[in-house]
């Protein structure tokens, strides 16, 4: 308890028989009152209480103390009393000094606030006007700043960060979605009310000349905008509502997902989305280069592709309908009229897998190709991945973002590993990786779970085209191989650090074989009449695949979870914002 608290307490109590009691074993300086029933713990508390009394009363009070182990109170010894008084004097001096310092700080703070308020009031009198004698400012995007050096320009953007240097210089890092630009404000430009109250994420327009930064100085792209005029377009809140108060790098993921609309303004998050944009374009450019046509299948369907348990259902004008799990079946219908086709569209899976590689809604890159063999299909997948990586790597801006997000990344220099499912089972057993449910070796026919699959992929350290999965663990439309009817002409592409990013197969193209597959899976073929018709009216051998764009991006940009690789992730328990 502080001396002030003891003094206040002393004024509220009455001490019996002019004694102040101290019990070193059972007393308390915090809750004690100096009475026999509620003694203090230390002589210092007793001395402080007496010192708080009127001077004429102080000599009449004595301190009674019960030492630890004693049964009775006895008067305090002169030496102990002297020690306690000395401690009280030191504490009193310290308290006085602290009070004086607090009063001084309070006074200085008041003066500082008054001065700041005076400056704010004075700043309201400063009105900036654009100098009409200067060349007319050319409006540009930040990405075009290098090509407009030594030219008077105007740039709109958001205040990503800012720094005040002295009274007459201010640095603003401006962001407009195309890049970052350092802007320098000097003299009167720094003294306006808007300058003194500027907040992060406010929108502004700044006029000036773009110049190379002096040697030894750093700025984005090696230049800065030396401002001659500026305006605030929209001021963001400060104080408790400031942008920086909403989240930080240590925030819980649930907070980051809730604030996703603000998180994407962060340089890392926006870089991932920019790389995503380039990747989507690269996929389209790849398919264009190999002669595929893009189609846009429906997302509202009445058939399943990957199993009924993962369908999102809804009422479609009184009928049962679902959000599509895959556009594959529709792509197959396009082969006779369009040849090889692809789509970049959303797919939906209602599986309650709350892992770092699962989403309820994801971007699905799917393709179907007629008149190919299984080996051709594997080549198509490998060539597509390599070509897309090469395309984005060839763009300097995209490459710079990837290198920052995923240091050490390099495009592929070697062929992908091709491994049959049966050999993967042997690899797991040879390396002591057991089944989680019973701790036993894996057996042919087991569905290899994500964790063992990733252990194998990470250990091998190269992309793996894992092929020839058993018939029972694959979809109904995948055909068995001719040389071993136990397995299908199927493939998963596994990437180190992420796991499966592509699933593909040849498709059953014989009418009777497909009907038998429906029967085996317990599916009514009637709703699939349009799919069966493909096997009646000019069937052909064909195959295809589906790639999860977010998984591809998680691998490319070294993100921990696919949730960082889409604009607004949808997963179990999250459908906002």
């Amino acid at each position: 308890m502080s001396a002030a608290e003891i003094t206040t307490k002393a004024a509220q109590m009455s001490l019996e028989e002019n004694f102040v009691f101290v019990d070193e074993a059972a007393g308390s300086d915090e809750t004690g009152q100096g009475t026999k029933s509620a003694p203090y713990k230390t002589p210092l508390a007793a001395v402080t209480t007496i010192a708080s009394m009127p001077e004429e009363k102080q000599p009449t009070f004595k301190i009674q103390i019960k030492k630890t182990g004693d049964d009775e109170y006895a008067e305090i010894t002169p030496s102990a009393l002297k020690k306690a008084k000395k401690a009280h004097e030191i504490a009193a001096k310290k308290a006085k000094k602290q009070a004086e310092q607090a009063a001084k700080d309070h006074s200085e703070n008041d003066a500082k606030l008054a001065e700041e308020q005076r400056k704010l009031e004075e700043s309201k009198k400063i009105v900036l006007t654009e100098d009409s004698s200067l060349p007319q400012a050319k409006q540009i995007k930040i990405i075009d700043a290098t090509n407009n050096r030594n030219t008077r320009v105007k740039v709109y953007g958001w205040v990503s960060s800012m720094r005040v240097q002295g009274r007459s210089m201010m640095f603003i890092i401006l962001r407009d979605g195309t890049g970052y630009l350092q802007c320098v404000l000097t003299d009167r430009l720094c003294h306006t009310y808007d300058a003194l109250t500027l907040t992060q994420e406010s929108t502004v327009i700044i006029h000036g000349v773009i110049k190379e930064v002096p040697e030894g100085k750093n700025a984005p792209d090696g230049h800065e905008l030396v401002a001659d005029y500026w305006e605030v377009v929209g001021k963001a809140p400060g104080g408790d509502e400031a942008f920086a108060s909403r989240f930080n790098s240590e925030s819980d993921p649930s907070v980051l997902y809730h604030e996703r609309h603000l998180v994407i303004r962060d340089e890392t998050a926006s870089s991932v989305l920019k790389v995503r944009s380039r990747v989507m374009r690269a996929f389209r450019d790849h398919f264009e280069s190999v002669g595929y046509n893009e189609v846009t299948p429906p997302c509202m369907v009445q058939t399943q592709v990957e199993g009924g348990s993962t369908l999102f259902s809804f009422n479609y004008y009184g009928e049962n309908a679902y959000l599509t799990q895959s556009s594959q079946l529709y792509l197959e219908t396009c082969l006779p009229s369009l040849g090889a086709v692809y789509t970049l569209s959303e797919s939906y899976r209602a599986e309650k897998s709350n892992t770092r590689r699962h989403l309820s809604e994801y971007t699905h890159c799917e393709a179907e190709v007629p008149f190919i063999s299984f080996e051709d299909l594997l080549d198509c997948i490998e060539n597509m991945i390599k070509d897309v990586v090469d395309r984005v790597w060839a763009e300097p801006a995209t490459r710079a973002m990837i290198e920052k997000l995923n240091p050490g990344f390099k495009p592929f220099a070697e062929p992908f590993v091709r491994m049959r499912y049966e050999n993967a089972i042997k690899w797991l057993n040879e390396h002591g990786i057991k089944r989680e449910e019973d701790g036993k070796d894996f057996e042919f026919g087991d569905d290899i779970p994500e964790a063992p699959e990733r252990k194998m992929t990470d250990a091998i350290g190269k992309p793996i085209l894992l092929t020839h999965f058993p018939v029972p663990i694959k979809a109904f439309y995948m055909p068995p191989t001719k040389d071993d009817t136990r397995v299908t002409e199927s493939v998963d592409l596994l990437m180190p650090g992420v796991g499966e990013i592509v699933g593909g197969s040849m498709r059953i193209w014989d009418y009777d074989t497909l009907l038998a597959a429906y029967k085996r899976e317990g599916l009514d073929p009637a709703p699939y009449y349009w799919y069966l018709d493909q096997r009646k009216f000019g069937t052909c051998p064909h195959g295809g695949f589906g790639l999860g764009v977010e998984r591809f991006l998680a691998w490319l940009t070294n993100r921990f979870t696919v949730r960082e690789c889409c604009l607004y992730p949808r997963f179990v328990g999250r459908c906002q914002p």
Side-chain angles (χ1 to χ4, degrees):
M1 183 184 298
S2 68
E5 291 173 317
I6 292 174
T7 299
T8 301
K9 182 175 288 188
Q12 298 172 342
M13 70 183 185
S14 61
L15 300 172
E16 65 253 33
E17 301 174 355
N18 287 16
F19 287 122
V20 181
F21 291 91
V22 175
D23 185 337
E24 291 184 347
S28 171
D29 288 349
E30 285 72 33
T31 61
Q33 297 180 346
T35 63
K36 187 176 288 187
S37 59
Y40 291 128
K41 185 177 182 64
T42 67
L44 174 60
V47 168
T48 303
T49 296
I50 294 171
S52 69
M53 298 174 182
E55 288 188 11
E56 65 273 14
K57 285 189 176 184
Q58 293 180 20
T60 65
F61 279 84
K62 306 295 182 183
I63 298 174
Q64 293 285 305
I65 186 168
K66 184 194 291 185
K67 295 282 188 179
T68 302
D70 290 350
D71 295 327
E72 299 293 335
Y73 283 97
E75 188 171 346
I76 191 170
T77 64
S79 62
L81 179 61
K82 182 179 180 181
K83 183 178 179 181
K85 287 182 176 180
K86 184 67 175 176
H88 168 68
E89 290 174 4
I90 293 172
K93 288 180 181 178
K94 183 178 180 180
K96 181 181 179 182
K97 187 175 182 180
Q98 288 176 337
E100 290 173 347
Q101 185 62 46
K104 181 181 178 182
D105 291 344
H106 183 72
S107 176
E108 290 178 350
N109 188 54
D110 285 347
K112 183 179 179 180
L113 290 174
E115 177 62 15
E116 288 178 355
Q117 189 60 41
R118 185 192 68 77
K119 287 182 178 179
L120 284 176
E121 291 302 317
E122 286 294 319
S123 70
K124 293 178 181 178
K125 300 175 185 178
I126 301 175
V127 178
L128 299 178
T129 56
E130 187 174 0
D131 188 342
S132 59
S133 67
L134 294 174
Q136 185 174 359
K138 173 186 177 183
Q139 184 173 334
I140 66 166
K141 296 291 186 181
I142 291 175
I143 195 172
D144 298 319
T146 300
N147 294 330
N148 286 278
R149 287 181 178 178
N150 302 312
T151 303
R152 187 166 186 263
V153 300
K154 59 181 178 181
V155 183
Y156 288 87
W158 288 261
V159 177
S160 182
S161 64
M162 55 190 173
R163 175 172 57 90
V164 176
Q165 185 171 307
R167 188 177 181 275
S168 296
M169 184 170 286
M170 183 177 184
F171 294 90
I172 294 175
I173 301 298
L174 199 65
R175 181 190 74 245
D176 72 348
T178 71
Y180 294 82
L181 178 64
Q182 178 169 289
C183 305
V184 185
L185 279 59
T186 57
D187 300 327
R188 294 181 79 252
L189 300 181
C190 303
H191 301 159
T192 66
Y193 182 80
D194 281 339
L196 297 181
T197 60
L198 189 63
T199 50
Q200 185 183 9
E201 292 305 318
S202 293
T203 44
V204 297
I205 174 175
I206 303 179
H207 298 62
V209 178
I210 298 173
K211 298 182 179 180
E212 288 189 61
V213 294
E215 188 175 349
K217 302 293 184 180
N218 294 312
D221 296 320
H223 54 223
E224 59 190 9
L225 175 63
V226 180
D228 56 56
Y229 176 74
W230 74 291
E231 299 176 40
V232 171
V233 177
K235 185 168 289 185
D240 293 340
E241 281 297 305
F243 180 82
S245 300
R246 299 289 287 268
F247 65 90
N248 57 50
S249 60
E250 303 299 321
S251 294
D252 186 83
S254 62
V255 173
L256 297 178
Y257 294 132
H258 186 73
E259 302 287 355
R260 181 70 177 167
H261 59 295
L262 300 178
V263 170
I264 59 176
R265 300 185 183 201
D266 174 75
E267 184 177 2
T268 296
S270 63
S271 292
V272 172
L273 293 178
K274 288 177 182 177
V275 172
R276 177 189 171 100
S277 173
R278 309 302 192 273
V279 162
M280 296 283 279
R281 185 177 65 203
F283 274 113
R284 287 190 164 94
D285 289 344
H286 165 77
F287 287 122
E288 177 72 19
S289 72
V290 292
Y292 291 29
N293 285 301
E294 182 174 8
V295 294
T296 52
C299 69
M300 296 184 290
V301 301
Q302 291 186 309
T303 52
Q304 67 182 55
V305 181
E306 299 295 337
S309 63
T310 66
L311 287 165
F312 281 108
S313 61
F314 64 96
N315 185 307
Y316 185 75
Y317 303 112
E319 296 183 78
N320 289 328
Y322 315 99
L323 294 178
T324 184
Q325 301 164 311
S326 166
S327 297
Q328 174 203 320
L329 306 190
Y330 293 97
L331 294 182
E332 290 187 55
T333 68
C334 298
L335 299 181
S337 57
L338 300 174
V341 291
Y342 77 97
T343 186
L344 280 163
S345 50
E346 303 308 292
S347 286
Y348 306 85
R349 301 283 173 90
E351 55 186 320
K352 294 183 178 179
S353 297
N354 204 8
T355 76
R356 59 183 175 136
R357 70 172 194 169
H358 281 91
L359 290 167
S360 298
E361 176 186 49
Y362 65 98
T363 303
H364 212 170
C365 175
E366 299 181 87
E368 293 293 322
V369 192
F371 302 108
I372 61 169
S373 68
F374 184 55
E375 287 300 318
D376 293 333
L377 177 65
L378 300 184
D379 291 339
C380 284
I381 295 171
E382 180 169 348
N383 293 338
M384 175 192 69
I385 298 294
K386 288 181 173 179
D387 187 37
V388 169
V389 170
D390 288 343
R391 287 174 185 273
V392 296
W393 195 251
E395 298 178 1
T398 308
R399 175 173 177 171
M401 286 187 286
I402 294 172
E403 288 178 324
K404 191 170 184 179
L405 292 165
N406 190 3
F409 178 85
K410 299 294 180 186
F412 304 103
E414 300 176 2
F416 291 178
V417 174
R418 300 195 179 189
M419 176 187 289
R420 293 176 71 103
Y421 161 89
E422 190 170 9
N423 292 329
I425 293 291
K426 292 178 182 178
W427 191 98
L428 293 171
N429 293 336
E430 289 171 357
H431 289 79
I433 299 175
K434 307 294 184 181
R435 293 190 304 206
E436 187 174 319
E437 62 271 20
D438 58 12
K440 295 182 179 180
D441 282 353
F442 283 91
E443 298 178 357
F444 185 90
D446 288 339
D447 194 358
I448 303 174
E450 175 189 352
E453 183 181 79
R454 288 186 63 171
K455 284 182 180 179
M456 178 183 72
T457 307
D458 291 349
I460 293 173
K462 298 177 181 179
I464 301 172
L465 287 162
L466 190 60
T467 66
H468 299 93
F469 292 87
V471 171
I473 64 174
K474 282 298 179 181
F476 70 89
Y477 51 77
M478 298 185 181
T481 62
K482 293 180 179 179
D483 59 340
D484 186 352
T485 56
R486 299 177 307 157
V487 299
T488 55
E489 290 185 314
S490 54
V491 59
D492 286 349
L493 175 59
L494 312 179
M495 285 295 193
V498 177
E500 179 195 345
I501 67 168
V502 177
S505 75
M506 297 299 288
R507 316 307 193 189
I508 294 175
W509 57 286
D510 176 72
Y511 185 90
D512 292 332
T513 306
L514 184 58
L515 272 180
Y518 280 121
K519 184 177 180 180
R520 184 184 72 241
E521 297 294 327
L523 293 173
D524 179 7
Y528 297 87
Y529 72 93
W530 50 274
Y531 186 63
L532 284 164
D533 275 354
Q534 305 308 308
R535 278 71 181 166
K536 290 171 63 176
F537 296 92
T539 190
C540 73
H542 62 285
F545 57 85
L547 172 144
V549 171
E550 289 80 11
R551 290 188 183 182
F552 178 87
L553 281 162
W555 164 75
L556 181 64
T557 61
N558 193 33
R559 296 301 92 192
F560 176 75
T561 171
V562 293
R563 297 172 184 178
E564 298 179 53
C565 299
C566 52
L567 185 58
Y568 291 107
R570 297 293 185 250
F571 52 91
V572 179
R574 172 62 60 181
C575 200
Q576 282 187 328

